[in-house]
């Protein structure tokens, strides 16, 4: 089964509102990453947070990580219609040196103008 | 742009046929991974090549095979295509265990 699971599966908001997506995972990790995907195209890397970090910012993005709860959240502030996309969290496996990524099913974000 | 390219963009095949998908890695990257993303799902790890050797495989049957060339470009081959092989196939390249960079994907439709 997939390591990461995003919640909610779908999110619909108005421009200017904030969007929060959550991710839960099952095993110990080295880092957690968030990706964005537009309409079934390639994955765009948004941000990486390491297991010893609790919060990270990049522009309008804010990511938190709680390793005790095995969960992460992605906050997009002041959303825009162009933020409409699917968002995936991806984890690695601390017990492996392979570096493979485990993805959840993603959250489909729709931002209405 | 990630510097990772894939070809073709779209492909239509029929059941039982064979297909080859190609990936050109970003310069300096020695590791390439392939992922399958079915509609409405997240990407699933197929396998990974490091310096031309397969060094990891996900839960995919042997009819999924690959190659990595000295210039670190890569191929994914799928034999005896099945309807469930219809998906977006993504390759990702990186140097060692650094960040992975994904290509735009190849959309495969099996009829």
């Amino acid at each position: 089964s997939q390591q990461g699971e995003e919640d909610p599966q779908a999110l619909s908001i108005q421009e200017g509102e904030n969007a929060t997506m959550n991710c839960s995972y099952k095993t110990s990790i080295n880092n957690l990453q968030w990706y964005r995907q537009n309409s079934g195209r390639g994955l765009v890397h948004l941000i990486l947070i390491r297991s010893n970090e609790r919060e990270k910012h990049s522009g309008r993005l804010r990511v938190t990580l709680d390793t005790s709860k095995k969960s992460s959240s992605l906050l997009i502030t002041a959303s825009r219609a162009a933020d409409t996309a699917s968002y995936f969290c991806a984890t690695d496996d601390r017990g492996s040196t392979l570096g493979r990524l485990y993805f959840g099913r993603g959250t489909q974000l729709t931002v209405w103008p | 742009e990630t510097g990772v390219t894939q070809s073709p963009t779209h492909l239509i095949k029929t059941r039982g046929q064979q297909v080859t998908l190609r990936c050109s890695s970003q310069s300096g990257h020695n590791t390439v991974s392939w992922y399958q993303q079915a509609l409405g799902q997240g990407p699933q790890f197929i396998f990974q090549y490091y310096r031309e050797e397969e060094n990891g495989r996900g839960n995919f049957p042997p009819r999924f095979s690959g190659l990595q060339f000295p210039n670190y470009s890569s191929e994914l081959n799928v034999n005896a295509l099945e309807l469930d092989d219809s998906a977006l196939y993504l390759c990702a390249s990186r140097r060692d265990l650094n960040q992975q960079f994904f290509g735009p994907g190849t959309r495969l439709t099996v009829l």
Side-chain angles (χ1 to χ4, degrees):
Chain A
S1 62
Q2 292 170 314
Q3 159 109 302
E5 290 296 336
E6 292 88 349
D7 171 66
Q9 290 187 2
L11 182 59
S12 184
I13 59 175
Q14 295 290 130
E15 265 192 330
E17 295 181 337
N18 295 340
T20 299
M21 289 160 268
N22 302 298
C23 169
S24 60
Y25 58 92
K26 297 177 181 176
T27 64
S28 296
I29 61 173
N30 293 308
N31 57 62
L32 183 145
Q33 303 178 64
W34 284 90
Y35 286 85
R36 165 196 169 124
Q37 185 177 45
N38 288 358
S39 300
R41 296 181 60 81
L43 294 167
V44 176
H45 185 263
L46 295 176
I47 197 165
L48 178 152
I49 186 166
R50 302 193 186 282
S51 59
N52 61 353
E53 297 176 313
R54 292 298 167 258
E55 186 171 315
K56 204 163 183 179
H57 296 254
S58 177
R60 295 185 295 114
L61 305 180
R62 172 179 169 254
V63 169
T64 62
L65 178 64
D66 187 335
T67 53
S68 66
K69 295 181 179 178
K70 292 186 169 59
S71 66
S72 173
S73 67
L74 170 67
L75 169 67
I76 304 175
T77 60
S79 62
R80 307 165 181 168
D83 294 330
T84 295
S86 292
Y87 291 82
F88 295 89
C89 70
T91 57
D92 63 357
D93 181 357
R94 181 182 284 275
S96 169
T97 58
L98 185 59
R100 68 176 281 185
L101 296 178
Y102 298 83
F103 290 85
R105 288 189 173 87
T107 292
Q108 173 60 52
L109 173 65
T110 302
V111 182
W112 298 100
Chain B
E1 297 298 323
T2 64
V4 180
T5 60
Q6 292 187 243
S7 63
T9 305
H10 296 89
L11 199 54
I12 299 175
K13 292 285 188 178
T14 56
R15 275 185 303 174
Q17 285 189 312
Q18 178 267 341
V19 69
T20 297
L21 311 182
R22 294 179 174 83
C23 172
S24 179
S25 301
Q26 191 179 104
S27 176
H29 288 185
N30 55 15
T31 303
V32 65
S33 303
W34 285 89
Y35 290 80
Q36 180 196 64
Q37 185 179 18
L39 196 62
Q41 303 292 315
Q44 294 287 302
F45 177 77
I46 303 174
F47 48 54
Q48 176 175 285
Y49 280 80
Y50 172 70
R51 294 185 176 180
E52 304 175 54
E53 296 286 332
E54 182 183 305
N55 71 340
R57 173 176 278 264
N59 190 25
F60 281 82
R63 59 189 185 84
F64 286 78
S65 64
L67 284 172
Q68 186 184 30
F69 300 100
N71 65 357
Y72 300 127
S73 63
S74 175
E75 287 183 355
L76 164 65
N77 298 289
V78 187
N79 294 322
L81 284 167
E82 301 176 359
L83 296 179
D84 285 348
D85 296 333
S86 294
L88 180 69
Y89 288 86
L90 298 161
C91 76
S93 75
R94 68 177 190 267
R95 179 157 190 86
D96 300 325
L97 289 178
N98 292 321
Q99 180 187 327
Q100 298 194 41
F101 293 85
F102 282 84
T106 293
R107 173 73 63 187
L108 172 65
T109 301
V110 182
L111 302 176

